[in-house]
Amino acid sequence: MNDNTERNLALSHMWVAFIAFILACFMGEYQVLERSGFIEALDSPAMYFASVSTHGVLMAYVLTTFFIMGFGYYTASTSLKVPIWNKQLAWGGFWLALLGVILAAIPLLSGLASVLYTFYPPVQADTMFYVGATLLIVGSWVWCGIMIVMFLQWKEANPGETVPLAMFATTMNAMLWLWTSAGVALESLFLLLPWAFGWVDTIDVGLARTLFAWTLHPIVYFWLIPAYTAYYVFVPKHAGSYLFSEEAARAAFIVLVVFSLPIGFHHLYMDPEQASGWKMLHGVGTFVVAIPTFMTGFTVIAALEIAGRLRGGKGLFGWIGSLPWTNTMVLSIILSLLMLIFGGFGGIVNASYAMNAMIHNTAWVPGHFHLIFAGTTVIMYFSIAYYLWPILTKKPIYSNNLALVQLWTWFIGMSIMTTPWHVLGLLGQPRRISSVVYNNLMTLSWEPYELLMIMGGLVLLGSACLFIYLLVKTQFGSTTEVFEGEVEYAETYHPVKDLPDYLNDIKIWNKVIAVLMLVSFGIPILQFFFLDTYDSSAWGY
Ligand code: HAS
Ligand code: CU
């Protein structure tokens, strides 16, 4: 197979992702500095909110979507061993999404879209921001379509055979994204755009938040699934082991996709527009969606234990020491799992209604999601890049040792930055504020933690720069050495026999999702058309 286009597609998408990432890292460091109030010259709420909005959009939407698309194209073609279906269309999707990013970036950087990454009305952005965000979503739908077509074509050409796990996970993620993005697309099309264009004067804030909640929870699993895919399909091979259970892996992806959709109201516990019964239903579902993460932890740690024992590790924990810690994929999953323990613990606190009242809208929440997204998830994006860059560019990685330093510093920096954030949340510090200095005793007690956060941020910034440096040096360095390796997927410990169709197909799960969405969002959305609600006009614009 001539896979030049596949490689270019993967590289182009991932470069957009990582350029967005590094720009956003610089903004992140500026934000902790500005917010702390330690340097008076930096003090500017307008600049702060422009920066934090751009940072959030770049990290949550650009880094993730482009990385997922690039990674997906590559896993699809290499796991199925077929070329990408309709390459022109794939490039079309890339350019459309990129155009969207550029259009959104203009108002973001000029301070005309300082609406944060959640863009909750009645805070209003310039129309171009909503148009840009919509184009990014439409571009990503092209990717979803291509993944689903390739999945179905392969199944038709190979009846009765098991779809490779990497492709199964990627297609489940594409399907998840189509369902997920529908919420924000409806919000954009019927509420935000007409309001931003001035065709209507007011907006129903409750309905907008309900539609955004539809998107806000499953989107985090859309980001997470590539990391879990690497856990299952790359890590065992790198550790010198086998995938512990293919069936458990598939079941985990299915539960993750199906149950992440009908539970978004855990973001609205403290909102007035939904009744408590609906919140409880979504709350119960939130606990269900933690199960596939436990299953994933169990399955991949089992694979690691097998690896450690095969390498001579003895005793209850002796296998941990004998793992190949100098392999970037193995090191990154260990660090990723460690961050998952605390990030996931925070998630369970958030999901518990009464405790949510304690931490909602405080610094705890950015602490939670930086640890579990920027930590657990993004550290796997790094090791996937370290693994794929030599394969994609045909040049060896510039320095494995520096890559290990980069992964360790990311872990250390993230721990130093997010621990104080959790504490600050418990000490009552609000999130989404540009200044934490009120000149009273409470804000004095915040100061040491602010200092730690700045230092954590600095370590992270250094680590991020090192990451980009390593990718650039690998791809554009002067080495004449040629790297010949190909991507390899883990083998299963117990070969799969007679896989039931529901573990090998997406159609049935679409139907299940449709029913669950109808039950969990039907009446909560419909009520807005029957009840007297209070619209709101734009805020401050
Ligand atoms: Fe979350 C808010 C609940 C997971 C991201 N979350 C957010 C926001 C983001 C986000 C971005 O219920 C902010 C949204 C905003 O701006 O308003 N979250 C959860 C729960 C989970 C969870 C229950 N979140 C994630 C993931 C994210 C993410 C994953 C990104 C990738 N989250 C919430 C709630 C809120 C929220 C509320 C709203 C808060 C509010 O009030 O605003 C769960 O899926 C987590 C399950 C995970 C576990 C951990 C299990 C641990 C394992 C590791 C074992 C490792 C070992 C070590 C033993 C329960 C499996 C082995 C070591 C070796 C050496 C081998
Ligand atoms: Cu959520």
Side-chain angles (χ1 to χ4, degrees), residues 72-73 75-77 79-80 82 146-152 154 163-174 229 233 250 489 506:
Y73 282 131
T75 45
S77 73
S79 67
L80 299 182
V82 294
I146 295 176
M147 292 300 102
I148 291 171
V149 168
M150 287 178 71
F151 178 92
L152 296 176
W154 191 91
V163 180
L165 180 59
M167 186 60 188
F168 182 74
T170 305
T171 315
M172 284 301 279
N173 206 19
T229 307
V233 304
R250 283 165 190 261
Y489 293 102
I506 53 170

Side-chain angles (χ1 to χ4, degrees), residues 10-26:
L11 277 173
S12 309
H13 280 84
M14 290 199 194
W15 265 123
V16 174
F18 293 137
I19 290 169
F21 162 76
I22 190 71
L23 294 175
C25 282
F26 278 94

Side-chain angles (χ1 to χ4, degrees), residues 60 117-118 120 212 216-217 219-225 228 231 256 263-270 282-283 286-287 289-298 300-301 304-305 319-320 323 325 333-353 355-357 359-362 364-366 368-374 376-378 381 431-432:
Y117 87 111
T118 41
Y120 285 129
F212 196 76
L216 186 55
H217 192 71
I219 198 175
V220 311
Y221 292 98
F222 172 61
W223 307 334
L224 185 68
I225 283 181
Y228 280 11
Y231 280 15
L256 211 54
I263 62 171
F265 290 180
H266 62 230
H267 295 276
L268 302 183
Y269 283 155
M270 298 300 125
H282 285 236
T286 305
F287 286 98
V289 88
I291 295 171
T293 290
F294 284 115
M295 285 164 65
T296 301
F298 177 80
V300 297
I301 294 171
L304 289 175
E305 182 177 349
W319 57 270
I320 298 179
L323 287 171
W325 287 70
I333 192 178
I334 294 172
L335 302 179
S336 170
L337 285 170
L338 289 175
M339 291 187 276
L340 183 58
I341 300 179
F342 299 104
F345 164 76
I348 299 296
V349 169
N350 301 345
S352 313
Y353 191 96
M355 285 195 278
N356 184 272
I359 52 78
H360 183 63
N361 270 343
T362 72
W364 169 286
V365 178
H368 159 67
F369 70 71
H370 279 77
L371 190 55
I372 203 162
F373 167 59
T376 300
T377 308
V378 172
Y381 289 12
R431 69 184 283 205
R432 302 191 176 106

Side-chain angles (χ1 to χ4, degrees), residues 120-275:
Y120 285 129
V123 200
Q124 195 180 46
D126 186 88
T127 320
M128 213 197 305
F129 171 77
Y130 302 116
V131 173
T134 307
L135 290 184
L136 171 61
I137 295 177
V138 176
S140 69
W141 285 347
V142 171
W143 172 80
C144 297
I146 295 176
M147 292 300 102
I148 291 171
V149 168
M150 287 178 71
F151 178 92
L152 296 176
Q153 280 179 345
W154 191 91
K155 278 200 76 163
E156 209 177 298
N158 302 274
E161 285 195 36
T162 307
V163 180
L165 180 59
M167 186 60 188
F168 182 74
T170 305
T171 315
M172 284 301 279
N173 206 19
M175 191 180 93
L176 172 70
W177 182 233
L178 286 175
W179 277 101
T180 302
S181 50
V184 74
L186 290 172
E187 183 197 359
S188 204
L189 220 57
F190 294 110
L191 298 176
L192 296 174
L193 280 169
W195 176 58
F197 275 117
W199 301 332
V200 291
D201 293 332
T202 63
I203 189 162
D204 189 331
V205 173
L207 177 57
R209 289 174 74 92
T210 300
L211 289 172
F212 196 76
W214 165 335
T215 297
L216 186 55
H217 192 71
I219 198 175
V220 311
Y221 292 98
F222 172 61
W223 307 334
L224 185 68
I225 283 181
Y228 280 11
T229 307
Y231 280 15
Y232 286 114
V233 304
F234 291 152
V235 168
K237 194 109 200 163
H238 286 251
S241 171
Y242 301 92
L243 171 59
F244 185 67
S245 164
E246 169 113 18
E247 289 86 346
R250 283 165 190 261
F253 283 118
I254 290 169
V255 182
L256 211 54
V257 168
V258 171
F259 272 94
S260 63
L261 275 152
I263 62 171
F265 290 180
H266 62 230
H267 295 276
L268 302 183
Y269 283 155
M270 298 300 125
D271 273 42
E273 67 270 5
Q274 297 298 344

Side-chain angles (χ1 to χ4, degrees), residues 306-329:
I306 296 171
R309 298 204 184 280
L310 284 174
R311 296 166 63 90
K314 300 256 181 307
L316 197 55
F317 296 115
W319 57 270
I320 298 179
S322 55
L323 287 171
W325 287 70
T326 52
N327 177 297
T328 45
M329 189 64 76

